Amino acid sequence: MTTLNPQRTIDELKELRALTGIEDGAQRVAFTPVWATARQWLREKLEALPVEIEVDEAGNLWATLRGESTDELLIGGHIDSVPNGGWLDGCLNILAGVEILRRIASEGKPPITIRLVDWADEEGARFGRSLFGSSACSGTMNPDELRHLKDRDGILLSEAIAPFGLNLDTVKESRKQLKNAKAYLELHIEQGPVLESMDLPLGVVLGTCGVERHTIRFTGQAAHSGSTPMDKRRDALGAAAKLSLEIREIAKRHNGVCTVGSVTTKPGIVTSVVAQADMTLDQRHLDANELAAMYKEAQEASHRFAEEEKVGVEWSKLWEIHPIPFHSRLIEMADEAIKEITPVSHRLPSGPLHDAAEVARAGVPTIMLFVQSLYGISHNKIEDTKEEHIAQSVDALDRLTTKTMHWLMDA
Ligand SMILES: [Zn+2]
């Protein structure tokens, strides 16, 4: 029997970093040669285990350890990275999963089937479309929306996936992979500062936040900066500036997050009052009612400021997604697993979307664990987590796997 060896996970993460990273960080962008190298390396690790390996129609790699029951417990992650990415995002989940497969396989045939999935193109770094493999598998993808997507060099997504044997017409056939899935577990670095600020290694993810994403256009009047008295101006930027501060108060009131990521102005010259200000607003909350309230309050505030500044205002939706809460029993079990390792567990929502959200949308009971990120930074070469915390996270995922297995057997 092999006991769980979290240090081996740390060593393998470093091995992967050396193989697929450069000085600027990880380069495992999906559907590129470096990604293929990472995948091949992962396959070699898996081939040492009594698992069946396959790649589905969406490019997701599955390793299946058959159990007494055909009911399946899934552990997932993504080996792809953003360009100049970190050494943990996505691949920690995968390599922790490999270590847990080793431990379980060494104990003989498990009572239920355990599968590890490496989702294809979680990051969407090249074509701007995240969660490619998991959304095809969950069924939420509309392949027609992806047909026109091109990378910076003008290569179509459909052309980039073809050498990997993938075709947009058939990607959704990967849905059959979830047929026997009874639970899905994912470990991920937090990619934010919450656990670090609380000095906690591990947290339970309650779900992924719903998102309201809009552009807001304020329309005023261009006027000469020298000849137009202050009280005669219709300054579009005045209203945008007021709103950009107000959304912080809205977020605070509702315990959510709101971000103005961009404001562009026209004519955008030093000698003119701003005639048009286009701003983006991103609002997130785990609770659908709170999210709706934040959206409504931002709209009301925009109209109030437009009136004060004597300008027009128009909203247009960029994107929205409902909150995706994780499974309540799995949240309890994840808490228990963490508390066996460290005295305090913390529950928090995930602002970023993850593959786990897609699996949950497909109706599979889902949970995520977060491990602390140093400086709250990710998608960057300075992304890091203390090695002792990495080891604890592998241990926590392993304990959660055992608890989930028992839960499924009792069900
Ligand atoms: Zn990730």
Side-chain angles (χ1 to χ4, degrees):
M1 284 214 319
T2 317
T3 48
L4 190 82
N5 182 0
Q7 182 58 46
R8 179 160 42 194
T9 307
I10 295 166
D11 295 343
E12 287 178 337
L13 284 163
K14 290 178 180 173
E15 201 183 317
L16 180 65
R17 176 170 65 183
L19 182 70
T20 58
I22 56 174
E23 205 182 309
D24 291 331
Q27 305 297 331
R28 297 182 301 274
V29 177
F31 310 122
T32 64
V34 181
W35 178 70
T37 300
R39 271 267 171 107
Q40 184 54 35
W41 175 86
L42 175 61
R43 252 177 194 276
E44 284 159 22
K45 300 277 174 205
L46 290 167
E47 278 164 5
L49 292 167
V51 296
E52 295 156 31
I53 303 169
E54 63 180 303
V55 175
D56 71 19
E57 293 84 351
N60 305 311
L61 186 148
W62 298 82
T64 305
L65 176 66
R66 297 254 170 241
E68 300 292 347
S69 161
T70 53
D71 285 354
E72 295 170 0
L73 166 56
L74 312 184
I75 300 173
H78 61 93
I79 212 159
D80 77 306
S81 76
V82 296
N84 304 326
W87 72 299
L88 300 168
D89 181 359
C91 53
L92 166 61
N93 344 1
I94 293 284
L95 290 166
V98 172
E99 186 58 27
I100 291 164
L101 277 181
R102 281 187 193 114
R103 196 269 300 162
I104 295 173
S106 78
E107 294 168 4
K109 193 171 191 179
I112 57 167
T113 297
I114 314 285
R115 304 182 81 196
L116 177 69
V117 53
D118 170 22
W119 300 109
D121 200 4
E122 189 272 348
E123 298 288 1
R126 186 168 162 200
F127 296 98
R129 173 61 162 79
S130 305
L131 310 178
F132 175 89
S134 54
S135 67
C137 193
S138 73
T140 64
M141 177 197 281
N142 175 359
D144 289 333
E145 289 172 1
L146 278 63
R147 288 187 203 281
H148 67 282
L149 294 181
K150 284 180 186 167
D151 71 5
R152 214 182 286 166
D153 301 319
I155 296 169
L156 284 165
L157 181 142
S158 58
E159 294 167 339
I161 64 176
F164 295 91
L166 309 183
N167 181 331
L168 283 176
D169 295 329
T170 53
V171 285
K172 288 184 82 172
E173 284 171 25
S174 77
R175 284 183 80 166
K176 60 180 180 287
Q177 296 291 344
L178 293 181
K179 201 176 62 193
N180 295 321
K182 296 292 184 277
Y184 175 84
L185 316 179
E186 185 172 329
L187 164 67
H188 207 284
I189 52 167
E190 184 200 338
Q191 303 179 288
V194 175
L195 292 173
E196 186 184 39
S197 69
M198 299 176 79
D199 202 19
L200 296 175
L202 297 162
V204 181
V205 185
L206 292 165
T208 57
C209 289
V211 183
E212 286 282 356
R213 200 175 282 170
H214 296 83
T215 57
I216 305 154
R217 171 168 293 178
F218 290 102
T219 310
Q221 176 63 55
H224 195 286
S225 66
S227 62
T228 318
M230 297 311 287
D231 64 341
K232 298 285 184 293
R233 297 180 178 205
R234 296 176 55 223
D235 180 3
L237 184 58
K242 285 179 174 176
L243 184 59
S244 73
L245 295 178
E246 180 63 17
I247 59 107
R248 303 195 214 173
E249 303 308 314
I250 293 170
K252 260 186 250 168
R253 274 203 294 280
H254 294 278
N255 205 15
V257 287
C258 298
T259 306
V260 171
S262 155
V263 180
T264 52
T265 60
K266 282 181 185 165
I269 54 170
V270 70
T271 52
S272 175
V273 173
V274 170
Q276 182 180 308
D278 289 316
M279 64 195 285
T280 61
L281 177 62
D282 178 289
Q283 299 180 289
R284 301 183 189 222
H285 208 292
L286 186 61
D287 183 293
N289 294 325
E290 297 284 340
L291 179 62
M294 292 201 308
Y295 173 40
K296 187 162 168 272
E297 285 175 30
Q299 279 191 313
E300 285 166 359
S302 75
H303 289 285
R304 190 166 75 243
F305 298 138
E307 206 167 296
E308 287 173 14
E309 298 295 324
K310 302 180 287 288
V311 300
V313 61
E314 244 176 286
W315 284 63
S316 48
K317 187 170 291 245
L318 289 172
W319 186 65
E320 65 168 341
I321 188 166
H322 294 294
I324 301 163
F326 291 156
H327 193 271
S328 56
R329 184 68 194 103
L330 287 172
I331 290 172
E332 300 294 334
M333 285 190 283
D335 247 345
E336 290 164 21
I338 290 173
K339 284 183 189 154
E340 287 174 13
I341 295 164
T342 178
V344 183
S345 171
H346 178 65
R347 298 179 176 193
L348 69 170
S350 173
L353 280 167
H354 289 285
D355 294 307
E358 286 294 341
V359 183
R361 287 172 95 184
V364 180
T366 293
I367 189 68
M368 288 185 79
L369 297 176
F370 272 167
V371 59
Q372 187 192 108
S373 289
L374 289 172
Y375 346 107
I377 299 287
S378 183
H379 283 191
N380 187 292
K381 67 175 176 184
I382 69 163
E383 168 188 292
D384 206 0
T385 293
K386 286 183 193 144
E387 290 193 9
E388 63 174 289
H389 290 171
I390 296 176
Q392 286 177 318
S393 74
V394 179
D395 192 4
L397 183 65
D398 184 54
R399 286 165 190 267
L400 178 57
T401 303
T402 301
K403 288 178 194 297
T404 308
M405 220 155 56
H406 287 135
W407 175 61
L408 294 178
M409 282 153 59
D410 293 344

